Amino acid sequence: MIYAANFKTNHTRQSTQKYLEALSEKLHTKKTEDKVYIFPPSTALDVYSGDFTIGAQNAYPAYNGAFTGEIGVEQLDEFGIKTILIGHSERREYLLESQEKVAQKFSFFQEQGFEIIYCIGEPLEIRQKGFDAVMEYLPAQFEGIDVTYENLIVAYEPIWAIGTGRSATVEKISATHSALKKEINDKPLLYGGSVKLENLKEITGITGVDGVLVGSASLDADSFSKMVLS
Ligand code: 13P
């Protein structure tokens, strides 16, 4: 299983350090086949030791240059970071990242050999139209994306389940994941959207779910480590 923690705009450099110290102590007993990823805010990126991989929530598709407010590969290289989240719905929605921009970013980081966790997900109005509408909507988020890329992990995060405390039902996750698996050549597929200790087992027990991408419930090191070790 893959357990990925997306801190979003939470935690400071200091609290991330404390979190990762606490987490790495707990992870001594983790199953070797399980993988843990942490995506802290960019001000907290650094070299940390522990049985986890640190990734960037975002970066600009350039090595360096005149891109005010952004970080590029040079800043990630300093900490040996080779993992990145691309296409998160919050960036698509609030930062107005179009599919074209997302695809450009993907191609750039693919060329750089990054491991990419590529996020897709439908809004509520599409889900309300039913499964066929969802399966028309989601494939459009693979436009310009090389789904054969060897370092690709996909995360399905229905927007209506993010931060709401209510995850998608087992039936919806199961149906969507089995349809998506065909689109993505059986690449690892995570589910995200209100995953917490209480619903973790039923979600990770679904065929076609290879792990979880966790927001709110990952912010506390103790809770997140309980999820990883459960
Ligand atoms: P929540 O777990 O807070 O719903 O967030 C999910 C998410 O967006 C992870 O990327």
Side-chain angles (χ1 to χ4, degrees):
M1 273 298 140
I2 294 169
Y3 300 88
N6 177 8
F7 285 3
K8 307 189 181 183
T9 315
N10 297 292
H11 276 300
T12 62
R13 189 172 179 77
Q14 200 177 33
S15 67
T16 300
Q17 213 165 356
K18 283 200 184 123
Y19 179 108
L20 291 173
E21 275 167 23
L23 184 71
S24 75
E25 273 178 34
K26 309 259 186 197
L27 291 188
H28 287 308
T29 55
K30 134 179 136 33
K31 293 192 209 98
T32 42
E33 67 269 26
D34 290 341
K35 262 207 98 177
V36 174
Y37 292 85
I38 309 289
F39 294 89
S42 52
T43 56
L45 295 178
D46 206 338
V47 178
Y48 296 99
S49 62
D51 193 1
F52 48 74
T53 300
I54 298 288
Q57 291 177 24
N58 177 52
Y60 196 78
Y63 182 72
N64 59 17
F67 306 105
T68 301
E70 297 288 316
I71 58 169
V73 173
E74 185 178 23
Q75 287 72 39
L76 298 176
D77 272 355
E78 183 179 15
F79 307 123
I81 290 166
K82 292 294 275 178
T83 300
I84 188 167
L85 277 184
I86 294 179
H88 195 283
S89 60
E90 286 152 11
R91 295 200 61 83
R92 292 181 193 261
E93 194 176 345
Y94 308 140
L95 283 301
L96 306 180
E97 281 191 6
S98 63
Q99 183 58 30
E100 195 186 349
K101 287 268 178 237
V102 165
Q104 278 168 5
K105 198 178 275 191
F106 187 102
S107 302
F108 176 84
F109 284 99
Q110 177 178 4
E111 269 166 38
Q112 300 288 318
F114 272 63
E115 179 173 36
I116 299 174
I117 299 195
Y118 182 67
C119 307
I120 60 165
E122 81 285 357
L124 184 61
E125 62 268 26
I126 298 292
R127 178 53 77 173
Q128 281 170 337
K129 288 186 188 159
F131 184 69
D132 290 348
V134 172
M135 288 320 299
E136 259 171 50
Y137 186 92
L138 294 177
Q141 295 187 329
F142 291 120
E143 231 164 75
I145 303 298
D146 178 5
V147 292
T148 67
Y149 179 45
E150 55 185 2
N151 283 327
L152 169 65
I153 296 171
V154 176
Y156 168 59
E157 300 201 296
I159 298 171
W160 45 273
I162 295 178
T164 59
R166 279 177 291 113
S167 73
T169 59
V170 169
E171 292 70 29
K172 285 196 173 80
I173 299 172
S174 172
T176 313
H177 272 235
S178 59
L180 283 174
K181 276 277 186 182
K182 294 178 198 134
E183 301 268 339
I184 60 171
N185 302 308
D186 218 23
K187 296 282 175 198
L189 181 57
L190 315 183
Y191 168 78
S194 297
V195 180
K196 47 196 165 193
L197 192 56
E198 294 74 22
N199 59 18
L200 179 75
K201 280 285 159 210
E202 69 173 8
I203 292 172
T204 54
I206 300 170
T207 308
V209 172
D210 302 300
V212 286
L213 179 53
V214 189
S216 332
S218 75
L219 295 178
D220 178 69
D222 203 43
S223 312
F224 186 61
S225 60
K226 282 200 180 97
M227 291 174 80
V228 176
L229 301 176
S230 68

